[in-house]
Each structure stands twice: as structure tokens, then as C-alpha cells.
Amino acid sequence: MMDTTDEMLQKQREIIFRKSSKERFLIGADTIDFGKTIVESSIKQMHPDILPIDLKVAVFKRYYETTFNRDELDLIINSMIAYFTKYPENLRFNI
């Protein structure tokens, strides 16, 4: 759905391109971080007692379930679990 007029899109572009490369990069990084927060929140809402490693796996699946075939997905998930089992200090709720 596109409900923004061409005039407003042009205005948005002008505002964005007046910013420095660093500012635009930071806006992009913040947007990605916000998206991850939304995904995490929706998963936690469905599974309030989810363990941190299970949350990481669920977020990964949400993003990449259609990118990898089943065998690749299983291999990556098993590698994630092995890594975070070996290095639990790297396991944080924020992905």
C-alpha cells in the first residue's frame, strides 16, 4: 500500500540526503535495531518464558526461514546452539 504522495516522498528524500553519510548510516542501524526489537517482542509475547538461546533461534528463523533450505537451516541452528552452549557469556537477550 502506498499512501504517500510523490511530493511528500520527494520532501523525505531531500531531508534524508541533507544528512551526512554517518547520520544516514545511524538512522539505518537504528531502524534495523528497532525491527529486531519488534520481532523479539512478538516472539516473547507468544512465549513469555522463552530461553535466550531459543529466542535467538526463533529470531533467526523468522528472518531466514525462507532463505535457506531445511538442511541448511538445521545446520546453522545447530551451530548457533553449539556456539552459545560453549560460550554462554556471549548469549544476551538483545540480538
Side-chain angles (χ1 to χ4, degrees):
M1 181 172 122
M2 183 64 157
D3 60 353
T4 306
T5 65
D6 289 341
E7 182 180 62
M8 282 296 104
L9 284 173
Q10 183 58 35
K11 186 70 172 167
Q12 289 172 347
R13 287 185 189 107
E14 289 170 10
I15 291 168
I16 291 294
F17 286 112
R18 270 188 265 160
K19 297 185 178 300
S20 69
S21 302
K22 180 180 176 181
E23 288 172 313
R24 290 194 306 268
F25 173 81
L26 292 174
I27 290 169
D30 285 344
T31 302
I32 291 167
D33 189 48
F34 180 70
K36 284 182 183 178
T37 300
I38 296 297
V39 169
E40 285 179 354
S41 294
S42 71
I43 293 168
K44 288 178 190 176
Q45 198 168 29
M46 291 186 300
H47 308 282
D49 298 327
I50 193 166
L51 296 173
I53 185 59
D54 295 331
L55 178 61
K56 283 193 181 288
V57 168
V59 170
F60 177 80
K61 283 170 121 177
R62 179 85 59 95
Y63 279 111
Y64 298 109
E65 199 163 37
T66 60
T67 303
F68 298 105
N69 68 42
R70 189 75 212 144
D71 291 337
E72 292 169 325
L73 202 63
D74 289 343
L75 179 66
I76 295 166
I77 289 169
N78 289 334
S79 295
M80 289 172 66
I81 292 168
Y83 174 81
F84 289 114
T85 299
K86 186 172 183 177
Y87 302 104
E89 66 274 10
N90 293 331
L91 186 61
R92 294 185 307 268
F93 246 91
N94 291 332
I95 296 174

